[in-house]
Amino acid sequence: MGKNKKMLLYGAAGYTGKIIAARAKQLNIDFEIAGRDLDTIKELAQELSVPYYVFSVDDEKGWQEALTDKKVLVNAAGPFKFTAEQAMSACLKNGVHYLDISAELDTYLLAESLDDEAQAAGLQLMSGAGLFVSYDALVVHLSKLVEQPEFLKVGFRHYGGFSRGSVLSSKNIADLGSLIRKNGAVEENPNPNPKIFSFGNENIECMPTPLGGIILSYKSTKIPNIEEFFSLKLPATELPNLLPENLPDGPTMEERSSGRNGISAEVTGKDGKVVRAYVDAPSGYDLTPLSVVAVANRILNDDFKIGYQSPGSSYGEDIIYDIPDTYLIDINS
């Protein structure tokens, strides 16, 4: 895989896509953009002075042309239920590493199911390379602090509102109900009770929600029992109608910078020892671009593991140091 060092960003003109593009530009990454709407993509390409491609997610020829001299694809076109399969397939056919920023469990399971193909192609296939990068780093960190990690509980404090795309994606998460991993298998949560997590200066009650760690952090650590919880601080809750067409694109830069995301986790070992830590990070729509570009940058510098990977299985806890303004803090060790 000693070819070129270029990244392709698909879905570049979306709310999060534009922030990813700005971050890639800031780091002087050699990248090109693509999307489905000519006007928005062309305008963005002119702003960024980068080449662009316009094609639908089902256009195999479009993918082939756009991926020809690329090393890694960042798929930012959600809901990923409608784009991940085509984009992963295009990467496998064209010899390009795959990343997306999905928060949808189905796309993680899809990536997991394509492990053999990715191994055969010598490619890294990673779905969930956004918020889950620091989340997974935290879990890997804690898993090393006990002899045999048996139980993982994670609370996620989201700040910064929702983009229109995330509201659409969140329906695919809500439709799953409350899932957990129990004794290694994913199943319905029989007792979906809230739990209080510590985020340093505040304790917050979070509600049971399948966030993705039941797939990704299981890949990274093989902890057999995983439960996840989600707390919302949402400007969106003040809107009378949450239909996508009534939503703004997403929070402004000022809204994003006025609060922080938090991820708090506890791991219990076989002997009953409990360890806790949390991540203090920028709000979601800043953290996601910072995270996925950090992973793309690693791949562009030949740091990857072939096959289906999670952020933690590929990069361990150290990837968190690649994400600016993001801190891992131990609570009791």
Side-chain angles (χ1 to χ4, degrees), residues 26-290:
Q26 187 183 20
L27 293 186
N28 291 318
I29 285 172
D30 189 358
F31 74 104
E32 298 177 1
I33 65 171
R36 294 163 278 197
D37 181 74
L38 173 62
D39 293 343
T40 54
I41 286 291
K42 190 176 177 182
E43 187 184 340
L44 184 62
Q46 285 168 344
E47 267 175 52
L48 295 166
S49 304
V50 295
Y52 68 92
Y53 304 86
V54 179
F55 57 95
S56 82
V57 76
D58 297 308
D59 181 352
E60 287 191 33
K61 264 208 171 120
W63 278 117
Q64 189 179 354
E65 186 189 348
L67 291 173
T68 292
D69 56 349
K70 305 304 181 298
K71 185 158 190 162
V72 60
L73 169 73
V74 173
N75 177 14
F80 295 91
K81 180 180 185 177
F82 305 117
T83 67
E85 192 169 359
Q86 300 92 318
M88 287 182 199
S89 171
C91 282
L92 291 169
K93 278 185 187 145
N94 293 284
V96 175
H97 300 286
Y98 175 89
L99 300 173
D100 69 36
I101 54 167
S102 172
E104 301 168 37
L105 259 70
D106 283 347
T107 61
Y108 306 157
L109 293 169
L110 174 64
E112 187 180 48
S113 74
L114 293 169
D115 182 38
D116 288 347
E117 288 94 320
Q119 300 246 16
L123 299 171
Q124 177 167 289
L125 198 61
M126 187 184 292
S127 181
L131 292 168
F132 279 99
V133 179
S134 50
Y135 179 117
D136 217 20
L138 170 66
V139 174
V140 170
H141 168 73
L142 285 174
S143 72
K144 294 176 182 169
L145 301 181
V146 295
E147 279 287 319
Q148 276 177 281
E150 291 253 298
F151 295 90
L152 164 66
K153 293 183 179 179
V154 186
F156 180 49
R157 181 190 67 196
H158 173 75
Y159 185 87
F162 274 151
S163 71
R164 187 183 291 129
S166 292
V167 171
L168 292 168
S169 277
S170 67
K171 178 167 182 351
N172 299 328
I173 300 165
D175 286 350
L176 294 169
S178 182
L179 299 176
I180 58 173
R181 192 172 280 272
K182 189 174 178 187
N183 299 325
V186 174
E187 56 182 63
E188 278 284 327
N189 186 351
N191 301 301
N193 297 316
K195 177 174 167 56
I196 291 172
F197 287 87
S198 170
F199 295 89
N201 57 356
E202 57 180 337
N203 296 326
I204 296 178
E205 184 175 77
C206 300
M207 302 302 296
T209 310
L211 294 171
I214 54 173
I215 311 295
L216 299 178
S217 295
Y218 181 70
K219 164 72 175 170
S220 305
T221 64
K222 288 292 181 276
I223 296 174
N225 301 287
I226 301 174
E227 293 180 44
E228 300 174 287
F229 301 80
F230 192 35
S231 152
L232 299 182
K233 273 190 177 179
L234 282 183
T237 53
E238 293 158 22
L239 295 172
N241 195 333
L242 274 181
L243 287 171
E245 58 267 27
N246 297 328
L247 290 171
D249 276 353
T252 63
M253 191 182 285
E254 289 71 25
E255 284 169 335
R256 296 200 310 266
S257 61
S258 66
R260 308 274 295 168
N261 263 3
I263 307 158
S264 180
E266 65 175 52
V267 169
T268 306
K270 196 165 188 176
D271 60 359
K273 181 183 176 185
V274 181
V275 288
R276 296 182 184 87
Y278 69 96
V279 166
D280 175 46
S283 72
Y285 294 103
D286 290 319
L287 181 58
T288 292
L290 292 171

